[in-house]
């Protein structure tokens, strides 16, 4: 697919890399591809970053027909720009598209068009350790209609944002509140897809957790309110004795790419990793008996984030004395080592963006 390029006439100053937050600054250009029923995906273009015009009746605004992805471009020490398993994100986006009746996209075309955008924005990939260029591909339904149905028109867009750490804690342990009142997803719903609605419904719990000084909430299953699902923006792992346990993907948990990579890395090091139903009771019991050694979350934005404290109803448990555990640290070092091109990449996960 040909991509038309309109360069900006007003390039922005690059941000101070020592002060990067998360998703607050956007680059000079964005990618847009349109979809029209009967015509397919068409009119790919890279244009100056700017507000878009939407009909107030655009269906995404009323019925939440929207999907998105999150990925990062990393700057290696030698200047190369690397992506981490980008094909996995585009594969997942098509799974999300399918769940929300959005037409499938050619995954190769998504990757190639992202590479074109990154070539234009290459100077926006930051250089400081721990920084990266966050990539946000998304699709919105644009047909102006108030009847509830799948839209006949869509916009696929990619915007880019230079970022630092997602949590203010950085790699330091976060405090997590076990949510026993609200639920995020149920099997048969959209929990496994990356759709805006999953995050919208999570806000109330997040606000209440923040009010109590917790970083994020840990969601329990929506039916029995017993089994652990995921943390706000991360999948979650618990090391009980020598076994690393993570909730199985039964339809209500997001199949994270960092989650998948974590499982593959741990197994390659000889750890037993079990994907199964894990009740909060089992975790709290293990903590009481001194068997809960480490807990951590994984995600593109959050990378690997140790959990230092869990509050479940009236009980608070401190994990590993509020210190990052050895397994969590090794995972963080290995994943970030591969992502930033600092260490060997035995799995072939790195994808170099050839900018010249
Ligand atoms: C990601 O980890 O990329 C996410 O999508 C989490 C988030 C910022 C919504």
């Amino acid at each position: 697919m040909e991509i038309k390029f309109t360069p900006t006439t007003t390039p922005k100053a690059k941000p101070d890399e020592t002060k990067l937050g998360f998703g607050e600054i956007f680059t000079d250009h964005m990618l847009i591809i349109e979809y029209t029923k009967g015509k397919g995906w068409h009119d790919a273009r890279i244009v100056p970053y700017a507000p878009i015009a939407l009909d107030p009746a655009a269906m995404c605004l009323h019925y939440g027909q929207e999907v998105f992805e999150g990925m990062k471009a990393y700057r290696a020490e030698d200047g190369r720009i690397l992506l981490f398993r980008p094909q996995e994100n585009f594969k997942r986006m098509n799974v999300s598209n399918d769940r929300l009746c959005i037409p499938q996209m050619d995954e190769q075309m998504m990757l190639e068009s992202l590479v074109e955008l990154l070539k234009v924005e290459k100077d926006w990939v930051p250089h400081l350790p721990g920084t990266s260029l966050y990539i946000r591909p998304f699709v919105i339904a644009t047909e102006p209609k108030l009847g509830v149905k799948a839209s006949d028109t869509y916009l696929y867009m990619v915007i880019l944002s230079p970022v630092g750490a997602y949590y203010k804690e950085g790699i330091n342990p976060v405090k997590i509140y076990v949510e026993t009142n609200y639920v995020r997803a149920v099997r048969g719903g959209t929990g496994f897809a990356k759709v805006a609605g999953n995050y919208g419904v999570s806000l109330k719990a997040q606000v209440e957790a923040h009010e109590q000084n917790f970083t994020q909430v840990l969601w329990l299953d929506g039916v029995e309110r017993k089994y652990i699902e995921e943390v706000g923006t991360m999948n979650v792992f618990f090391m009980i004795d020598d076994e690393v346990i993570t909730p199985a993907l039964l339809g209500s948990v997001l199949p994270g790419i960092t989650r998948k990579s974590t499982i593959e890395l741990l197994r390659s090091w000889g750890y037993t990793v079990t994907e199964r139903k894990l009740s909060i009771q089992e975790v709290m019991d293990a903590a009481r008996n001194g068997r809960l050694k480490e807990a951590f979350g994984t995600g593109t934005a959050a990378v690997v984030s140790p959990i230092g404290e869990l509050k479940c109803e009236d009980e608070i448990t401190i994990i590993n004395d509020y210190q990052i555990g050895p397994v969590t640290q090794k995972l963080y070092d290995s994943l970030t080592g591969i992502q930033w091109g600092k260490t060997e990449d035995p799995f072939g996960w790195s994808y170099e963006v050839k900018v010249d």
Side-chain angles (χ1 to χ4, degrees), residues 22 68-71 92 134 136 166 194 199 233 299-302:
F22 186 87
F68 70 95
E69 269 303 323
M71 48 214 291
R92 185 173 66 184
Y134 188 75
R136 172 53 58 86
Y166 186 72
K194 207 155 174 70
Y199 296 82
T233 58
T300 299

Side-chain angles (χ1 to χ4, degrees), residues 266-282:
L266 287 171
R267 286 190 178 143
S268 78
W269 296 334
Y271 285 97
T272 304
V273 185
T274 316
E275 298 175 74
R276 65 166 167 90
K277 281 179 144 184
L278 173 66
S279 71
I280 186 65
Q281 209 47 55
E282 187 179 340

